Amino acid sequence: MTSVVETAERSRIWSHPELGLHAVLDANGSVRLGNPGQDWDRLVPLVEVTATGHGRLWSGERFIETAIGERLAYRGHDTQTLRDGGLERTTIRLADPVTGLAAEVTLEASPGATFLRSRVRLVNEGVGPLRLESVTTLTLGGISDAGAGLDGLTLHWADNDWLAECRWRQAEFRDQVVPLSRFAHGHEGRGCFERYSQGSWSTGRHLPVAALSDRDGNAWLWQIESSAGWRFETGEREGAAYVALFGPDDAHHQWHQNLAPGEEFHTVPAVLVRTDSGGLDTAFATLTDYRRGIRRDHPDHRELPVIYNDYMNTLMGDPTTERLLPLIESAATAGAEVFVIDAGWYDDDAQGWWDSVGAWEAAPNRFPGGIQEVLDAIRKHGMTPGLWLEPEVVGVRSPLAQSLPPEAFFRRGGVRVTEHGRHHLDLRHPAARAHLDDVVDRLVGEWGVGYLKLDYNINIGPGTENGTESAGAGLLGHHRAHLDWMGGLLARHPQLVLENCGSGGLRMDYAQLAVAQLQSTSDQQDPLRYPPIAAAAATGATPEQAAVWAYPQPDQGLDEIAFTLTGPLLGRIHLSGFLNLMSDEQFDLVRSAISVYKDLRPEIATAHPFWPLGLPGWDDEWIAHGLRGSKASYVMVWRRESDALGLADTDRTLTVPHLRGAHVHPTVVYPATADAGAEWDAGEGRLRVSLPRADTAVLVRLSAG
């Protein structure tokens, strides 16, 4: 039987002053985390676990107040200071005297920083098997507005969908978690506000990022780092709000984990950011720095090369040598530094390529002189060649569907899973991994490809059952193997750049983005629909990882061309369009945008995002997004409303509080064709931008002057 430490009174065993969080040991030996204020009962157990036969103490939709969570008792803790950046790592050890389940909670934070990262390791130290059904990565309680209690809290979350990514919503906490007169019933409510993923598109429904804020500028912002199932919940407990963050669970993801004696399980990581002023802007600035700190180092994060991709509103998956060569020349002339041949380069099938992919060989009929002729042309024009790849799928008509062993594919109930004409590889199987290693080593090592766009266009459902494992456990195992596979590619090919794409932004999570260099933000083809996605992309990825399409066309007017080119100037450019067919005036507008981007990109890699008009709504007429750099701040403004009856507003005032009182010179950086104006009010910290025509956009630099 496991041993625990007994205590007769409450005491703090860990504190994070900047976050206002404390881990408290109570009289029963339980460790609880949160901001207690004057009421320690507001806190929740440090780890909450449901297991078959060991459920919750109060039944409902919540996955807190679990029987095991209440029993987990303190064993000890220790803190280490790591050499890298002075990071402090505290491990708190707990044990359940009934089941023998032991938990190690790892809390990581940097002195002075306002973030906390958490992971949990569970070990079955008992004598019998245990079937886990849910485990928290992080739980905390005691969240309230200092002045108004829960009535002063606002809840923020992001809906996410194909072509409509990063759509932030907000509601008063009390609109989602209503007061229930607990004193009259003697119990908390049974419900909560929750968001979760479904299937293998980790962000196919929502971003794994959300927040609570209050009227005084406090914000609690969290992120769950999982490609294979996640969930968060928030609700009321003892008159305060709590937050519980999870990876996959049984109820939502068909996940359970069987732990035999001696076996262990590791949760996915999650992070909490807390700010006491500045609200969401300050919180996202901290989260941006945190994201930069956990990702794999790569020169792409500093160099930010301009990428041309032949797909969007251009070749649309139908490349040939004849079509590509003029695009290559014009892209290089415009200033592109990477040229990506997107989908279709492998397609010689009369029935279409969708359900026949898997071998990833160049199509001879598309490239009569061989694909090397095209790749050589890209290099001769001073650009890095790139290719599109969808590595995790094999079409049902591909020979690989028969030549690879059945165990190399996702299966449920003993049947191979098929979705939209594709099977799904399980990268835990050595044959599946060897196949993909051979493909990439050929493309990179033999063909000289330096950029791979890794796409993912099916939702395979809850996962795969390998033996007795649950489908959700199989999905988690595969995705961890997938991340390891990507890391292996970068270890063998250190200069290779990997773009994470899931039908646009449907796998925009920091399990993937801690490894991949770029994130596709959307497949949105309508330039008038892209601004809210582009403006909010920095909530899902760091600015230097958030790739936004710009697809100017020769049949567009100058305002339309400038509008689509403006969108990615504070992130990463995915340039497309038939540049080779443009007039000189149109092409000069493209080259001007690329030149502006190259001038300001050294600032992007260390800058912090902010939103002078708040996070954008999908149908907002005016949208603004800014970056706060070390030398200057930049503000992007879009105006989308109609000119009907000539009554539309032609200017908008934006608040830039970090520059209040500063003598700032506003400069219209791009485009020169929008007839835009910009005026600065130093006393109020406000920027007034005028755009006399609808469906135009402008980038303004704010620098000391």
Side-chain angles (χ1 to χ4, degrees), residues 35 59 94 280 335 670:
N35 183 356
S59 191
L94 311 167
L280 290 185
Y670 184 87

PDB file of all heavy atoms in Angstrom, residues 35 59 94 280 335 670:
ATOM      1  N   ASN A  35      -6.505  30.180  -6.409  1.00  0.00           N
ATOM      2  CA  ASN A  35      -6.381  31.475  -5.752  1.00  0.00           C
ATOM      3  C   ASN A  35      -7.477  31.543  -4.698  1.00  0.00           C
ATOM      4  O   ASN A  35      -8.626  31.845  -5.017  1.00  0.00           O
ATOM      5  CB  ASN A  35      -6.531  32.600  -6.779  1.00  0.00           C
ATOM      6  CG  ASN A  35      -6.327  33.968  -6.163  1.00  0.00           C
ATOM      7  OD1 ASN A  35      -6.151  34.091  -4.957  1.00  0.00           O
ATOM      8  ND2 ASN A  35      -6.359  34.990  -6.998  1.00  0.00           N
ATOM      9  N   SER A  59     -22.849  13.592  -9.255  1.00  0.00           N
ATOM     10  CA  SER A  59     -23.005  13.206 -10.654  1.00  0.00           C
ATOM     11  C   SER A  59     -23.512  14.364 -11.499  1.00  0.00           C
ATOM     12  O   SER A  59     -24.343  15.167 -11.047  1.00  0.00           O
ATOM     13  CB  SER A  59     -23.978  12.028 -10.758  1.00  0.00           C
ATOM     14  OG  SER A  59     -23.953  11.479 -12.049  1.00  0.00           O
ATOM     15  N   LEU A  94       1.572  12.481  -5.257  1.00  0.00           N
ATOM     16  CA  LEU A  94       0.335  12.137  -4.568  1.00  0.00           C
ATOM     17  C   LEU A  94       0.092  10.635  -4.682  1.00  0.00           C
ATOM     18  O   LEU A  94       0.660   9.976  -5.559  1.00  0.00           O
ATOM     19  CB  LEU A  94      -0.863  12.885  -5.185  1.00  0.00           C
ATOM     20  CG  LEU A  94      -0.725  14.388  -5.403  1.00  0.00           C
ATOM     21  CD1 LEU A  94      -1.854  14.888  -6.292  1.00  0.00           C
ATOM     22  CD2 LEU A  94      -0.731  15.121  -4.070  1.00  0.00           C
ATOM     23  N   LEU A 280      -6.875  40.612 -22.315  1.00  0.00           N
ATOM     24  CA  LEU A 280      -6.482  39.566 -23.253  1.00  0.00           C
ATOM     25  C   LEU A 280      -5.249  39.928 -24.060  1.00  0.00           C
ATOM     26  O   LEU A 280      -4.445  39.047 -24.398  1.00  0.00           O
ATOM     27  CB  LEU A 280      -7.645  39.249 -24.197  1.00  0.00           C
ATOM     28  CG  LEU A 280      -8.852  38.539 -23.589  1.00  0.00           C
ATOM     29  CD1 LEU A 280      -9.860  38.194 -24.679  1.00  0.00           C
ATOM     30  CD2 LEU A 280      -8.437  37.279 -22.843  1.00  0.00           C
ATOM     31  N   GLY A 335       9.741  38.499 -55.628  1.00  0.00           N
ATOM     32  CA  GLY A 335      10.491  38.480 -54.376  1.00  0.00           C
ATOM     33  C   GLY A 335      10.289  37.236 -53.533  1.00  0.00           C
ATOM     34  O   GLY A 335      10.770  37.181 -52.393  1.00  0.00           O
ATOM     35  N   TYR A 670       1.685  50.552 -46.381  1.00  0.00           N
ATOM     36  CA  TYR A 670       1.175  49.868 -47.571  1.00  0.00           C
ATOM     37  C   TYR A 670      -0.343  49.831 -47.479  1.00  0.00           C
ATOM     38  O   TYR A 670      -0.891  49.657 -46.394  1.00  0.00           O
ATOM     39  CB  TYR A 670       1.733  48.438 -47.646  1.00  0.00           C
ATOM     40  CG  TYR A 670       1.314  47.698 -48.901  1.00  0.00           C
ATOM     41  CD1 TYR A 670       2.058  47.821 -50.068  1.00  0.00           C
ATOM     42  CD2 TYR A 670       0.178  46.892 -48.919  1.00  0.00           C
ATOM     43  CE1 TYR A 670       1.665  47.161 -51.224  1.00  0.00           C
ATOM     44  CE2 TYR A 670      -0.214  46.237 -50.071  1.00  0.00           C
ATOM     45  CZ  TYR A 670       0.533  46.374 -51.215  1.00  0.00           C
ATOM     46  OH  TYR A 670       0.159  45.733 -52.373  1.00  0.00           O
TER      47      TYR A 670
END
